[in-house]
Amino acid sequence: MTVEHPSAPTIEQLIDVVGNSSVGITVTDRSGAVLLHNKAQSVLMHGEADHLGGRIRAADSDALPQLLADLDKNGRIENVRVSYLSADGTQERASAVNAVVAGAGDDSRIHWVSRPELGQRLPVPSTSDVDPTSDAAAWIRAVDERSNPVLAPTKEHESVLREFYEVAPVAIHLIGVNGQVMHANPADVALVEYSGQPTEYVGQHIRKIYEDQGLLDDFLSRWDEDSPIINFRANFVTRDGAPKPVLIFSTAQAAGGSVSNTRCFVFNDPEPQRARDTVSAFGWPS
């Protein structure tokens, strides 16, 4: 099936994708004052923005001013290391941050996406020696168990959420239970080089962009388990057939025991020379 005019997600889908994603998402004004953030960002900050004076707080006091200066100059940043600091100053959490400025003047906003720096990944083979209490498994449990923050996205944030989806400094796609790409934001379409022909990708099976078809079969087999894909290195395939090294953070939206779609965040791999991850046997550590 080919979708002639790829549509944007519904507001309910956007609230879920942003609010429940496996990576930290924050929207601020140009000064860094937080307008909204999700559960994963709460985990990164060891609390909520309203406990931090309504601002992002970094371990290096010069970090945020420098990031804001870089954004003012260049309009975007990618894969910048930031250690978030808790309100009491006793805990730090390392992350890699992408951000982009949207709009102009007093009405402009900054959209931040922060992925935790992890040593392990999910899924793992059932024969693997990886501890189910690894940092990747611990990360997604912490996000799942976190309550919605006071500044969580709601329907009142619809214009901000739609802006985030359109300008996000990271690729986002939603995959349906049939493996079809339901929605893909401009960064995602550009990542696999379908910007000129988006309907050749959006509306098609996700198989089209995976280099390792066995790996994708493994991912798709996990639908009923609602198994996360966290910090996973793979190769996508661009429209002209070239490999594209990526880092995947993906979870599924599930209600009543039934999965409806994934919420996938895909980053350019900052270490493209590293070996790609594989899964040789099914199994998700319980």
Side-chain angles (χ1 to χ4, degrees):
M1 174 184 177
T2 299
V3 178
E4 294 300 328
H5 300 285
S7 60
T10 65
I11 182 57
E12 290 79 13
Q13 286 174 318
L14 287 172
I15 291 170
D16 172 69
V17 166
V18 173
N20 298 312
S21 76
S22 54
V23 295
I25 295 174
T26 309
V27 180
T28 72
D29 66 15
R30 286 296 288 267
S31 74
V34 176
L35 305 177
L36 67 84
H37 71 83
N38 67 354
K39 295 191 297 181
Q41 188 66 33
S42 294
V43 178
L44 286 171
M45 297 188 299
H46 303 280
E48 300 186 19
D50 62 321
H51 299 155
L52 300 170
R55 304 182 69 84
I56 295 172
R57 185 176 180 186
D60 180 353
S61 60
D62 294 329
L64 183 58
Q66 184 59 57
L67 289 174
L68 293 173
D70 290 345
L71 285 164
D72 190 55
K73 178 180 179 181
N74 302 314
R76 64 174 54 236
I77 58 173
E78 182 172 353
N79 199 41
V80 176
R81 192 178 191 277
V82 173
S83 289
Y84 288 103
L85 186 66
S86 62
D88 62 8
T90 63
Q91 300 181 80
E92 297 182 18
R93 183 91 202 206
S95 67
V97 177
N98 290 11
V100 64
V101 177
D106 294 339
D107 294 329
S108 61
R109 291 179 280 254
I110 304 174
H111 300 274
W112 310 77
V113 179
S114 304
R115 59 175 175 81
E117 291 195 342
L118 301 170
Q120 284 81 41
R121 48 89 172 180
L122 293 174
V124 297
S126 57
T127 55
S128 172
D129 293 331
V130 175
D131 187 337
T133 61
S134 71
D135 61 354
W139 166 258
I140 196 60
R141 278 196 289 267
V143 174
D144 287 345
E145 294 168 2
R146 195 82 187 190
S147 299
N148 282 327
V150 173
L151 297 177
T154 67
K155 287 185 177 180
E156 284 66 39
H157 298 115
E158 180 169 2
S159 63
V160 178
L161 293 173
R162 294 200 179 281
E163 180 181 77
F164 171 81
Y165 178 79
E166 290 296 323
V167 306
V170 61
I172 305 169
H173 60 245
L174 284 68
I175 304 172
V177 291
N178 58 359
Q180 183 188 68
V181 180
M182 298 167 60
H183 304 287
N185 76 336
D188 190 72
V189 176
L191 182 74
V192 286
E193 299 180 2
Y194 280 91
S195 295
Q197 302 81 18
T199 57
E200 292 184 15
Y201 166 52
V202 183
Q204 309 303 317
H205 199 282
I206 191 65
R207 184 177 301 281
K208 190 167 189 173
I209 67 164
Y210 268 84
E211 181 179 71
D212 186 339
Q213 296 290 295
L215 175 66
L216 179 62
D217 287 340
D218 179 278
F219 286 171
L220 295 176
S221 75
R222 299 170 186 272
W223 270 106
D224 292 340
E225 303 170 33
D226 186 17
S227 297
I229 303 169
I230 302 296
N231 199 43
F232 201 100
R233 286 182 158 83
N235 275 347
F236 282 175
V237 179
T238 65
R239 187 171 184 268
D240 64 5
K244 182 69 175 181
V246 296
L247 194 59
I248 304 169
F249 282 74
S250 178
T251 52
Q253 181 182 22
S258 178
V259 173
S260 59
N261 61 264
T262 65
R263 42 177 103 87
C264 301
F265 287 73
V266 183
F267 300 81
N268 284 310
D269 191 346
E271 301 178 86
Q273 74 284 356
R274 285 184 53 168
R276 302 297 87 187
D277 292 324
T278 59
V279 180
S280 59
F282 298 163
W284 152 245
S286 59

